[in-house]
Amino acid sequence: MELFSEMMQNLQEFFEVVFIYIPRFIPGVIMTLQLSALSIVIGTVFGLTATLFKMTKIKPLEKLIDVYISIVRGTPLLLQLIFIFYALPEIGITFSPFISAAIGLAFHSGAYISEIFRGAIESIDAGQREAAISLGMNKWQAMKRITLPQAFKRSVPSLGNQFIIAIKDSSLASAITITETLMLTRQFVAATFNPWPIFFVAGLYYMLITTILSKALLRLEKRLKVYER
Amino acid sequence: MNDNKKVVDERTNQTSDQSQAENSANTPAMIEIKNLHKYFGELEVLKGINMTVEEGEVVCMIGSSGSGKSTLLRCINYLEKKNQGDIYIEGKKVVETPKAINAIRQKVGMVFQRFHLFPHKTAIENVMEGPVTVKGMEKKEAKELALKLLEKVGLSDKEEEYPAMLSGGQQQRVAIARALAMEPKVMLFDEPTSALDPELVGEVLGVMKDLARDGMTMIIVTHEMGFAREVGDKIIYLNEGVIEEVGTPEKLFNNPENPRLQAFLGEIDF
């Protein structure tokens, strides 16, 4: 009985801390959202540009994109962020912590998104392109009107996955002094010596963001499937 | 050969078409191909093709698979790049610049074996796509044109359907309407009924017969010998990249000279 009441009291204390810290996390969560959104939007632009560069079949451009993708895939994101924030200033290129984080995250997700787009474009039947150019379209019209819309639809599931990874990856920005959700978590733990409820709140926020995004993407996927039997 | 009377009717129709073409002997041929060679790597798939297609003529290309007939068709609108030889369209030699090739493709419509309709667009959007994107036609005007063409192929009630909701025969008819929307002077058909269930072949051949009757110049790669015999003005037999025999359907089907063509026709039941 005593054990039970002790447990209840612990639980009550736990949730008291949780409720106190839920609002205190909001600035960090907003920062996480901002970084994730930038990483996703700029990353998608980077990714699409990289894919289209590669499709031009201009050798130097193709090579450049290959190098970009190899570097991003071959090195840890943490290293990339630290490099941008601590090493680039050595050669006179200095960004604010926020810009460094945004560039680093977008640069990183752009490489993966580009690979997703490339795979999706290559999965579209060659007959689609042939049908388009046989109507007299040039190759860019065929790409824009026929191949890309189909490829985009096909890339939505993997793209969604990458977006969720981008949200979680934004936590690494804490390594370059950005006060986002993870940074706040560590500060609050250090201040309270009470890790459980604080970690719980941080996890809750991440789960909330990724769940909402997943649901939205699922909805988009369903809407795009209209024309499939 | 299940409808002899119809065949005879068609025949009279075509003879008049043919004589029309002969009368206008001064106008250049719609398509003239001179000494065309095509290689895939080391393999020579077309070995010096010479052929002429007059305006309003329906030419059927027959031959076993791998004979190069589809490749020849695809060379005409530059989906395959020829390695040697010249193509003349309306008497003008085709210059191989991207712009000139696009212009040729607008004049030369193509219908594929596997339809290749755009799956993310409805039937009517498929038909409107060429005029709007390539010719810059107003959407309203393109829609009117597309409706007319869908009606022509007997699908006016399917305009808002996506390709996935249509049968193979319906899809191919939309594909024909899509090609016609560019108002081409020549239509190329690459085995248009080979991917269809047998009961759907007739509806597509019917649309093609109507086109032939309207005087459309057509080059058709086909295994439908009955159709070739009925609608073709000229039959071309291709074997291993060489045109082995050319002639009227009567001559090729009733009195084939080439022993390989005799064997080929012997294998087919039509």
Side-chain angles (χ1 to χ4, degrees), chain A residues 125-139 141 145-147 149-150 226-229, chain B residues 74 77 79 102 105-106 108 110 112 116-121 129-130 133-134 162 164-166 178 182:
Chain A
D125 188 281
Q128 288 292 312
R129 194 184 141 270
E130 285 190 351
I133 62 170
S134 77
L135 289 173
M137 286 190 208
N138 61 40
K139 65 177 181 181
Q141 285 172 325
R145 303 278 311 167
I146 306 304
T147 309
Q150 294 181 58
V226 170
Y227 52 81
E228 271 178 11
R229 196 172 346 215
Chain B
R74 291 163 59 83
N77 74 345
L79 285 182
N102 278 351
R105 287 177 179 148
Q106 292 178 47
V108 182
M110 176 98 175
F112 300 87
H116 299 322
L117 285 183
F118 307 132
H120 57 306
K121 295 183 181 289
E129 186 61 37
T133 305
V134 180
Y162 283 98
M165 303 304 288
L166 300 174
R178 176 178 69 180
M182 293 303 291

Side-chain angles (χ1 to χ4, degrees), chain B residues 35 73 81 86 92 113 136 146:
Chain B
N35 192 31
L73 200 71
K81 222 175 149 203
D86 292 311
K92 272 183 242 140
Q113 182 178 356

Side-chain angles (χ1 to χ4, degrees), chain A residues 69-84:
Chain A
I69 291 171
S70 316
I71 290 176
V72 169
R73 285 211 297 203
T75 59
L77 174 57
L78 191 54
L79 181 67
Q80 292 160 21
L81 289 173
I82 292 172
F83 175 81
I84 294 172

Side-chain angles (χ1 to χ4, degrees), chain B residues 61-63 222-230 253 264-265 268-270:
Chain B
M61 292 204 274
I62 60 170
T222 187
H223 292 292
E224 296 286 334
M225 297 303 157
F227 172 80
R229 183 195 279 252
E230 190 183 329
F253 289 117
F264 174 68
L265 293 174
I268 299 170
D269 184 28
F270 64 94

Side-chain angles (χ1 to χ4, degrees), chain B residues 51-192:
Chain B
M51 66 183 267
T52 310
V53 180
E54 302 294 343
E55 191 176 347
E57 201 173 26
V58 177
V59 175
C60 293
M61 292 204 274
I62 60 170
S64 43
S65 46
S67 58
K69 44 194 198 315
S70 284
T71 307
L72 175 54
L73 200 71
R74 291 163 59 83
C75 283
I76 296 175
N77 74 345
Y78 290 84
L79 285 182
E80 297 292 351
K81 222 175 149 203
K82 63 185 168 54
N83 296 94
Q84 198 190 320
D86 292 311
I87 299 177
Y88 296 78
I89 301 211
E90 293 182 301
K92 272 183 242 140
K93 188 168 152 180
V94 178
V95 202
E96 290 183 14
T97 60
K99 228 179 171 172
I101 289 173
N102 278 351
I104 292 300
R105 287 177 179 148
Q106 292 178 47
K107 277 190 195 174
V108 182
M110 176 98 175
V111 174
F112 300 87
Q113 182 178 356
R114 303 206 50 83
F115 336 128
H116 299 322
L117 285 183
F118 307 132
H120 57 306
K121 295 183 181 289
T122 59
I124 192 155
E125 286 168 349
N126 264 277
V127 182
M128 289 164 64
E129 186 61 37
V132 171
T133 305
V134 180
K135 287 186 172 171
M137 192 185 275
E138 289 287 330
K139 276 203 170 145
K140 196 167 158 262
E141 199 184 336
K143 195 166 181 181
E144 278 171 27
L145 171 71
L147 277 173
K148 230 183 276 171
L149 288 167
L150 284 177
E151 199 183 326
K152 191 183 169 100
V153 298
L155 289 173
S156 33
D157 55 331
K158 301 285 183 195
E159 53 170 298
E160 293 304 331
E161 301 278 11
Y162 283 98
M165 303 304 288
L166 300 174
S167 74
Q170 290 169 337
Q171 288 190 50
Q172 192 60 301
R173 285 187 282 154
V174 175
I176 293 173
R178 176 178 69 180
L180 289 174
M182 293 303 291
E183 293 169 328
K185 297 201 161 178
V186 185
M187 286 282 280
L188 309 177
F189 292 86
D190 188 4
E191 299 192 29

